[in-house]
């Protein structure tokens, strides 16, 4: 094989990515680095080096690491909120709480890098990247459940937003802890979360469980 043939073969192996493919690659690499190092410790140089491109390519597609970070956070937030939102379609309040807890832990299990990004201190450039924002958005999904349950039980519905924050905060912080330890298993952790949320400290079940017959 001549030099020209060799060069042609090299070019073929290094097939140029489309703009869409390059953007996706940069988002995935950014997600990995933000999860590993956080926003401030991640540089455009690192993103470009890992992608095998020059810094101007990153700037061309996203204007800098802020642009990549915003896309990563938005995608992860939408994925998590969609999973929790789907769980909240169960028939009764306890089922909703069980399935929402399971959905959060499933997200932690299947989207570990994404959850690491969401729970790190976020950069001020993103309005949705902070852990507090994550809790607020999730709480807004469950607040109506609290309102309905409070109305049925004669409690003040005006307190529902506070209770929604407390409930979701418990889920999210437990998810952050479970991210590192992964023990006990997902269903066991969810069962104990629901045990505390539903029964309270005064009426804890000694051996709580999740109804695995319910549709996931």
């Amino acid at each position: 094989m001549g030099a020209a043939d060799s060069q042609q073969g090299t070019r073929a192996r290094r097939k140029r990515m489309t703009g869409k493919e390059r953007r996706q690659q940069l988002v995935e690499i950014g997600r990995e680095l933000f999860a590993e190092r956080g926003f401030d410790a991640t540089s455009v140089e690192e993103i470009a080096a890992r992608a095998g491109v020059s810094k101007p390519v990153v700037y061309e597609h996203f204007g800098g690491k802020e642009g990549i970070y915003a896309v990563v956070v938005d995608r992860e937030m939408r994925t998590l909120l969609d999973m929790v939102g789907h769980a909240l379609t169960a028939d009764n309040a306890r089922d909703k709480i069980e399935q929402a807890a399971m959905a959060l832990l499933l997200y932690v299990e299947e989207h570990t890098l994404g959850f690491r990004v969401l729970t790190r201190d976020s950069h001020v450039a993103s309005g949705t990247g902070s852990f507090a924002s994550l809790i607020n958005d999730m709480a807004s999904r469950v607040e109506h459940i609290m309102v309905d349950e409070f109305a049925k039980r004669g409690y003040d519905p005006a307190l529902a937003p506070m209770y929604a924050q407390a409930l979701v905060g418990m889920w999210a912080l437990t998810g952050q802890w479970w991210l590192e330890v992964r023990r006990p298993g997902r269903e066991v952790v969810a069962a104990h979360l629901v045990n505390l949320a539903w029964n309270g400290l005064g009426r804890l079940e000694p051996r709580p469980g999740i109804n695995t017959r319910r549709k996931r």
Side-chain angles (χ1 to χ4, degrees):
M1 179 184 293
D5 292 334
S6 178
Q7 291 175 357
Q8 185 177 4
T10 300
R11 286 195 296 268
R13 288 193 296 271
R14 296 177 181 173
K15 182 181 177 182
R16 189 181 181 88
M17 286 186 178
T18 65
K20 182 178 180 180
E21 290 170 340
R22 180 65 72 193
R23 285 179 61 85
Q24 182 60 32
Q25 180 204 31
L26 292 172
V27 167
E28 291 301 320
I29 289 171
R31 180 171 173 259
E32 293 173 4
L33 286 170
F34 295 140
E36 292 170 11
R37 301 168 56 80
F39 178 89
D40 289 329
T42 298
S43 67
V44 171
E45 288 87 349
E46 287 178 291
I47 295 172
R50 192 170 290 192
V53 298
S54 62
K55 285 170 55 179
V57 172
V58 178
Y59 288 116
E60 176 186 349
H61 284 281
F62 292 99
K65 67 176 182 178
E66 293 85 356
I68 299 177
Y69 185 78
V71 171
V72 170
V73 168
D74 181 66
R75 289 184 181 183
E76 295 302 327
M77 288 283 284
R78 282 191 286 110
T79 298
L80 175 54
L81 292 173
D82 285 349
M83 291 173 70
V84 172
H86 179 72
L88 294 176
T89 60
D91 294 332
N92 59 68
R94 176 156 183 162
D95 285 355
K96 285 182 172 73
I97 291 174
E98 281 193 1
Q99 295 309 302
M102 287 286 287
L104 172 63
L105 294 172
L106 181 63
Y107 172 82
V108 173
E109 192 171 71
E110 295 184 347
H111 301 269
T112 299
L113 292 179
F115 193 68
R116 286 190 191 280
V117 173
L118 292 179
T119 54
R120 280 184 179 275
D121 290 337
S122 63
H123 191 260
V124 292
S126 171
T128 59
S130 70
F131 202 29
S133 179
L134 169 65
I135 292 173
N136 286 335
D137 287 348
M138 290 179 62
S140 68
R141 301 290 183 104
V142 303
E143 186 176 314
H144 68 281
I145 301 173
M146 296 293 190
V147 171
D148 292 344
E149 286 299 306
F150 279 24
K152 290 176 185 176
R153 297 166 188 267
Y155 302 151
D156 183 0
L159 296 174
M162 179 181 70
Y163 276 85
Q165 289 281 337
L167 177 64
V168 172
M170 179 175 68
W171 290 345
L173 287 170
T174 302
Q176 192 175 27
W177 164 80
W178 190 69
L179 174 69
E180 305 300 336
V181 298
R182 299 300 176 96
R183 301 177 84 178
R186 174 162 46 93
E187 289 192 357
V188 174
V189 174
H192 284 279
L193 280 171
V194 175
N195 193 22
L196 178 58
W198 192 258
N199 296 313
L201 287 172
R203 295 188 297 116
L204 287 178
E205 299 170 1
R207 293 181 178 84
I210 293 292
N211 187 344
T212 56
R213 292 173 295 179
R214 297 189 186 98
K215 184 179 179 181
R216 289 285 181 266

